[in-house]
Amino acid sequence: MPHAPLTPFDQQVLDMIEHSPVGAVPRTPTYDESLKRLQAAQQAYHSSDYKDGYVTARTLAKLPVFVAAGLLELDSHPEDHSKLEANNSVFDRYVASLPAALRPKAEALRLQVSGKAIHHRPKAGGVTVRDPLHSLFLVPGAGPQPGLPGNYLRGTIDEFHDAAHVLRWRIQVMDSDTDASVCLLDSLPEALVRLRELLDCVPFHLSELEALGFELH
């Protein structure tokens, strides 16, 4: 996603953010104008960890992405989810990557983010039916509201039946419970292609995902 060129002063502000332990810069009109330009260029975002702090896109670009092992290969065996990494395991890896001071705050969000464990339920007659796909991923980025500790957005890829009872797939990326970018696809291969495109774009602001066919809700 293209970004506007930055002035030498704006580059200095990015450096200042990165060298501050809380992502702070002086609150003067000159710095405030620079921050507005950097945010418009998607080069600086409000920090989810420090009030009035910022984080740079180049810092976020160094952070890992957390996607369930086996998910991106699922289109080769769409009915076999047995090797797909569980949401709680994905969340474990995310928590382990955080600085120690941020881990308790992340752990407090575990149930909200990763949900309860899914158990396969047999139908009458002993035929086992798998649950619909619902897989968690976590990516560095920002939204209108603060995201997860460490400046992460949470996302899911879900399998569902729409109002016309047609099987579809949904990818959604969220900051908090308030804002989400959502994309609906007609097949699992299409959904996984879109997910790969999404992962190639990190870090990003939720508003940038319109270019990939997402709608901000």
Side-chain angles (χ1 to χ4, degrees):
M1 297 180 184
H3 299 291
L6 303 179
T7 68
F9 182 75
D10 290 346
Q11 293 284 2
Q12 293 176 21
V13 173
L14 288 178
D15 293 339
M16 187 176 293
I17 292 170
E18 292 174 355
H19 285 94
S20 167
V22 296
V25 298
R27 300 315 304 264
T28 67
T30 300
Y31 282 95
D32 285 346
E33 287 299 318
S34 176
L35 286 169
K36 289 178 183 178
R37 290 192 298 271
L38 291 171
Q39 290 176 86
Q42 308 295 356
Q43 291 299 305
Y45 308 110
H46 285 285
S47 172
S48 65
D49 301 320
Y50 303 105
K51 184 180 179 181
D52 299 325
Y54 292 84
V55 64
T56 70
R58 23 187 225 204
T59 293
L60 296 184
K62 300 174 184 177
L63 298 179
V65 169
F66 300 98
V67 181
L71 176 61
L72 297 178
E73 296 76 39
L74 195 60
D75 49 352
S76 64
H77 48 86
E79 292 305 316
D80 181 10
H81 295 189
S82 60
K83 296 181 181 179
L84 189 63
E85 183 181 8
N87 289 344
N88 259 320
S89 176
V90 176
F91 196 81
D92 284 342
R93 293 193 283 117
Y94 152 69
V95 172
S97 76
L98 297 173
L102 296 179
R103 292 175 189 171
K105 184 178 179 181
E107 278 292 351
L109 299 170
R110 177 182 290 272
L111 186 60
Q112 176 185 344
V113 174
S114 62
K116 296 180 180 179
I118 293 176
H119 301 285
H120 294 281
R121 300 179 295 272
K123 277 188 175 180
V127 177
T128 300
V129 178
R130 67 166 178 81
D131 289 278
L133 175 66
H134 174 75
S135 190
L136 173 72
F137 59 89
L138 301 121
V139 294
Q145 302 298 321
L148 298 180
N151 298 290
Y152 272 82
L153 300 169
R154 58 188 171 110
T156 55
I157 179 170
D158 299 285
E159 178 184 0
F160 72 103
H161 285 88
D162 65 15
H165 306 291
V166 175
L167 184 62
R168 302 193 75 189
W169 283 259
R170 173 178 51 224
I171 303 173
Q172 55 183 345
V173 190
M174 296 153 276
D175 48 20
S176 61
D177 289 333
T178 308
D179 302 281
S181 283
V182 181
C183 184
L184 301 180
L185 290 310
D186 293 327
S187 71
L188 179 60
E190 286 180 279
L192 293 177
V193 166
R194 190 63 50 87
L195 180 59
R196 294 183 189 104
E197 292 175 347
L198 179 75
L199 299 178
D200 285 342
C201 292
V202 294
F204 49 73
H205 191 278
L206 286 183
S207 62
E208 293 184 274
L209 297 185
E210 184 179 357
L212 294 180
F214 285 73
E215 293 186 2
L216 188 61
H217 291 233

